[in-house]
């Protein structure tokens, strides 16, 4: 079976954008591949090194969401980057063969440096972000990496590093290919892309009344001001939520109702609130169980850490052999 690896930086509790963009994809992949999914907590330090108090709860929240949506620890290894020291060990070893120019020309590097950010990002760690990501991928000899468009340059960089290592020492690493995840449009309550930084999210852990409240205040087709105005679903973010959650026949009715002013926005919103709450009910329930019994989460992560650790240790062994920094004093001779 081919191996897949993917990581997410710990950003706290996950929202519907993550669900449709990343998590449903992980759930599908876990049946077809040997999957390694991890929380990239060291990557969080590349930008947030000065304020680290939130990382712990972010990691726990995220893991709880993963399990609650159905990522299955008996299928996929679920683990935490910092628990597997071989990621950073490989990072150091690969740093020796990484030309500075390769890192400096990764597009996200310059972009981020030019943005206004609260912390100073002229650091060794931030420059090395893509190399740490390459180490995450190569340590599991991953064949495929499910990522969004924004991470493609990092994967290209990873392939270049793999090629360089294989050429200099020995053919240890497969060149990982991207599995581009089509990111569906998931609008937040203000109509912009759902994102924590916009404060417009529907969280997987939101209780039903919060979901209801958030959607009832959500922006709609801006031209539909009065109940008697005809609307256009193509211009309405609420309708984008219908596309993701409402069965086609019911959705068609809403489309027609909106265009003819046959239904009002409140009525329309109530339908999608119902659909989203139905989707989230079992997720909330499972999540609640994990909150009540944190030892379940501990056991899941320990199981994942063990599996990841075994694989990573074997790769490091091979890497050191290839570089020739494994010693046997009996046969090397004094
Ligand atoms: N850089 C990725 C992001 O920001 C997170 C990440 C870290 C990752 N290591 C990875 C993704 C390895 C895929 C594979 O989303
Ligand atoms: Fe949007 Fe629904 Fe109102 Fe039409 S009826 S504008 S789809 S909220």
């Amino acid at each position: 079976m081919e191996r897949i690896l993917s990581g997410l930086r710990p950003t706290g509790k996950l929202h519907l954008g993550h669900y449709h963009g990343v998590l449903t994809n992980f759930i599908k992949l876990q049946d077809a591949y040997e999957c390694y999914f991890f929380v990239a907590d060291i990557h969080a330090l590349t930008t947030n090194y000065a304020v680290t108090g939130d990382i712990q709860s972010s990691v726990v929240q995220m893991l709880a969401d993963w399990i609650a949506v159905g990522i299955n620890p008996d299928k996929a290894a679920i683990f935490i980057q910092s628990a597997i020291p071989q990621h950073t060990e490989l990072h150091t070893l690969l740093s020796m063969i990484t030309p500075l120019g390769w890192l400096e020309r990764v597009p996200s590097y310059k972009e981020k440096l030019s943005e206004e950010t609260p912390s100073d990002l002229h650091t060794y760690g931030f420059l090395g972000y893509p190399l740490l990501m390459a180490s995450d991928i190569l340590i599991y000899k991953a064949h495929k990496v499910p990522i969004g468009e924004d991470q493609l340059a990092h994967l290209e960089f990873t392939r270049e590093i793999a090629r360089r290592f294989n050429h200099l020492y020995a053919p240890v690493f497969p060149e990982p290919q991207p599995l581009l995840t089509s990111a569906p449009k998931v609008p937040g309550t203000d109509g912009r892309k759902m994102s924590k930084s916009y404060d417009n999210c529907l969280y997987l852990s939101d209780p039903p009344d919060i979901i209801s409240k958030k959607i009832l205040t959500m922006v709609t087709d801006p031209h539909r001001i009065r109940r008697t105005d005809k609307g256009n679903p193509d211009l309405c973010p609420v309708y984008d939520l219908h596309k993701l959650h409402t069965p086609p026949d019911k959705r068609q009715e809403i489309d027609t109702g909106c265009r003819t002013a046959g239904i009002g926005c409140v009525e329309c919103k109530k339908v999608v609130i119902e659909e989203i709450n139905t989707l989230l009910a079992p997720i909330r329930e499972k999540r609640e169980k994990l909150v009540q019994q944190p030892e379940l989460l501990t056991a899941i992560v320990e199981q994942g850490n063990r599996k990841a650790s075994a694989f990573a240790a074997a790769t490091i062994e091979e890497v050191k052999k290839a570089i020739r920094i494994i010693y046997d004093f009996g046969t090397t001779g004094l």
Side-chain angles (χ1 to χ4, degrees), residues 5-9 38 40 43 129 133 136-137 145 147 151:
L5 172 113
S6 198
L8 288 182
R9 274 174 297 171
F38 73 100
H43 272 104
Y129 186 113
M133 181 163 161
D136 298 334
I137 297 167
V145 183
I147 42 170
Q151 300 291 318

Side-chain angles (χ1 to χ4, degrees), residues 5-9 26 36 38-41 43 81 87 129-130 132-138 142 144-148 150-151 154-155 158:
L5 172 113
S6 198
L8 288 182
R9 274 174 297 171
F26 279 11
Y36 290 80
F38 73 100
V39 185
D41 60 341
H43 272 104
Q81 188 183 30
H87 289 233
Y129 186 113
L132 182 58
M133 181 163 161
S135 307
D136 298 334
I137 297 167
L138 296 177
K144 301 226 166 84
V145 183
I147 42 170
D150 61 321
Q151 300 291 318
H154 293 153
L155 202 64
T158 302

Side-chain angles (χ1 to χ4, degrees), residues 23-310:
L23 299 174
T24 51
N25 191 40
F26 279 11
I27 293 164
K28 257 186 267 151
L29 292 171
Q30 67 183 356
D31 290 317
Y33 295 91
E34 181 185 347
C35 287
Y36 290 80
F37 298 136
F38 73 100
V39 185
D41 60 341
I42 306 178
H43 272 104
L45 296 175
T46 61
T47 49
N48 291 4
Y49 58 84
V51 189
T52 53
D54 291 346
I55 295 179
Q56 181 160 20
S57 89
S58 283
V59 169
V60 175
Q61 297 279 354
M62 205 159 94
L63 286 167
D65 282 329
W66 285 10
I67 308 302
V69 298
I71 297 176
N72 182 341
D74 294 324
K75 293 180 183 166
I78 298 166
F79 63 99
I80 299 175
Q81 188 183 30
S82 64
I84 316 296
Q86 288 85 357
H87 289 233
T88 44
E89 188 173 1
L90 184 59
H91 176 255
T92 298
L93 293 173
L94 293 178
S95 76
M96 309 303 165
I97 66 165
T98 304
L100 275 179
W102 291 14
L103 286 168
E104 283 160 349
R105 68 164 193 249
V106 170
S108 60
Y109 181 65
K110 273 191 226 116
E111 273 163 37
K112 191 93 184 188
L113 273 193
S114 63
E115 276 172 25
E116 291 242 5
T117 41
S119 59
D120 178 5
L121 292 183
H122 293 88
T123 58
Y124 184 50
F126 184 63
L127 177 66
Y129 186 113
L131 188 63
L132 182 58
M133 181 163 161
S135 307
D136 298 334
I137 297 167
L138 296 177
I139 195 91
Y140 301 103
K141 298 187 177 181
H143 303 98
K144 301 226 166 84
V145 183
I147 42 170
E149 199 86 48
D150 61 321
Q151 300 291 318
L152 274 179
H154 293 153
L155 202 64
E156 179 58 38
F157 170 84
T158 302
R159 279 196 299 276
E160 280 170 7
I161 294 292
R163 237 175 273 144
R164 187 161 162 87
F165 183 98
N166 292 346
H167 170 75
L168 284 170
Y169 304 120
V172 171
F173 300 118
E175 287 181 29
Q177 300 303 317
L179 257 188
L180 257 194
T181 31
S182 62
K185 188 170 166 194
V186 187
T189 49
D190 58 0
R192 292 186 288 177
K193 181 184 153 108
M194 192 177 288
S195 163
K196 192 176 175 182
S197 52
Y198 295 152
D199 192 21
N200 65 0
C201 298
L202 303 168
Y203 289 102
L204 301 181
S205 49
D206 278 344
D209 56 318
I210 298 291
I211 292 288
S212 173
K213 211 160 91 189
K214 284 180 175 175
I215 294 178
L216 285 173
T217 56
M218 187 162 172
V219 298
T220 60
D221 170 3
H223 309 296
R224 190 168 191 207
I225 296 157
R226 279 172 294 268
R227 168 68 181 81
T228 48
D229 294 339
K230 288 175 183 160
N232 182 353
D234 299 332
L235 304 177
C236 179
V238 175
Y239 196 75
D240 287 325
L241 292 181
H242 275 293
K243 285 188 198 152
L244 291 164
H245 301 101
T246 309
D249 46 336
K250 221 193 271 182
R251 200 166 72 220
Q252 191 50 51
E253 267 173 50
I254 286 165
D255 184 289
T256 312
C258 175
R259 290 179 198 279
T260 56
I263 59 165
C265 290
V266 172
E267 195 186 335
C268 167
K269 286 174 166 183
K270 281 189 173 155
V271 175
V272 82
I273 289 168
E274 186 69 30
E275 294 290 345
I276 291 177
N277 277 330
T278 304
L279 169 75
L280 295 184
I283 298 175
R284 282 185 202 114
E285 198 181 313
K286 198 149 175 213
R287 201 178 194 285
E288 198 46 42
K289 220 180 269 169
L290 293 169
V291 173
Q292 300 300 326
Q293 292 174 269
E295 65 276 12
L296 287 176
L297 211 50
T298 309
I300 286 169
V301 173
E302 278 174 359
Q303 179 185 331
N305 284 348
R306 270 197 303 277
K307 185 168 173 196
S309 185

